[in-house]
Amino acid sequence: MQIRLASSVDLEPLSLLFDLYRQQLQQPSDFPACHHFLKHRLAENDSMIFVSIRDDEMVGFIQLYPSFSSLRLAPVWYLEDVFVKPQYQQQDVVSQMYQKAQLLAQSTGVLLINHHDSQVPIEPESLSCTA
C-alpha cells in the first residue's frame, strides 16, 4: 500500500471518496460540489490530504487543516476528515495514514490534533474510519 500527499492528478478518485465519506455522514451525494471543494483545497494548498493507494485503487484519505494554537503556542494540523472504503476498514489503513501524517508533522515541528477533541493530540487507536 502506498500512502502519499494528494495532488491534482488525484482529484477524480478523491472526489468520489469524499462524496462517499459525506454520504456516510448523512449528507446527500453531490459529486460536483465535492470535486469543486477539493479542487480548491488542492489549488489553494490550504489543507493537506493523504491518500491511500492499494493495487492502483484509492481506498482512503485523511484531510488535515493547518492552523495555530494559542494555548500550545505552536503550529498545528487539525484532523478533520478520515475515510476508508468499507472493504478496507479492517486492514489498518487508517492507522497507516495517520502514522504517515504524524511522521510528517513531527519532522516539521507541527502538532497533529483531532479537530473533534482539540484538547489532546490524537493517537492512532483513537481514530475511526469517519471523523
Side-chain angles (χ1 to χ4, degrees):
M1 177 169 41
Q2 177 190 23
I3 298 170
R4 60 174 171 72
L5 284 170
S7 69
S8 58
V9 299
D10 299 310
L11 189 55
E12 293 299 318
L14 181 57
S15 297
L16 288 169
L17 284 183
F18 195 68
D19 194 31
L20 290 172
Y21 163 70
R22 293 182 71 255
Q23 289 174 56
Q24 185 172 334
L25 296 173
Q26 314 311 312
Q27 299 300 308
S29 177
D30 191 345
F31 178 82
C34 289
H35 188 274
H36 178 78
F37 178 81
L38 291 173
K39 181 178 180 181
H40 286 278
R41 299 295 65 75
L42 293 170
E44 298 295 324
N45 203 27
D46 57 8
S47 77
M48 297 181 68
I49 306 170
F50 284 89
V51 294
S52 177
I53 311 292
R54 179 166 284 162
D55 299 325
D56 295 326
E57 177 186 4
M58 189 176 295
V59 300
F61 72 89
I62 62 173
Q63 184 165 213
L64 311 166
Y65 286 96
S67 188
F68 296 92
S69 171
S70 323
L71 298 177
R72 298 183 199 287
L73 300 173
V76 296
W77 290 339
Y78 286 104
L79 174 65
E80 180 68 23
D81 307 306
V82 179
F83 179 78
V84 174
K85 286 182 174 180
Q87 62 268 36
Y88 295 94
Q89 289 179 0
Q90 301 302 316
Q91 298 181 22
D92 206 26
V93 176
V94 171
S95 179
Q96 289 180 45
M97 286 189 298
Y98 169 79
Q99 289 171 4
K100 187 77 162 193
Q102 184 67 33
L103 181 63
L104 183 59
Q106 288 174 345
S107 72
T108 57
V110 175
L111 297 171
L112 186 57
I113 297 178
N114 185 335
H115 178 74
H116 302 286
D117 183 11
S118 60
Q119 298 304 309
V120 294
I122 57 176
E123 298 299 328
E125 56 274 2
S126 70
L127 293 172
S128 63
C129 290
T130 58

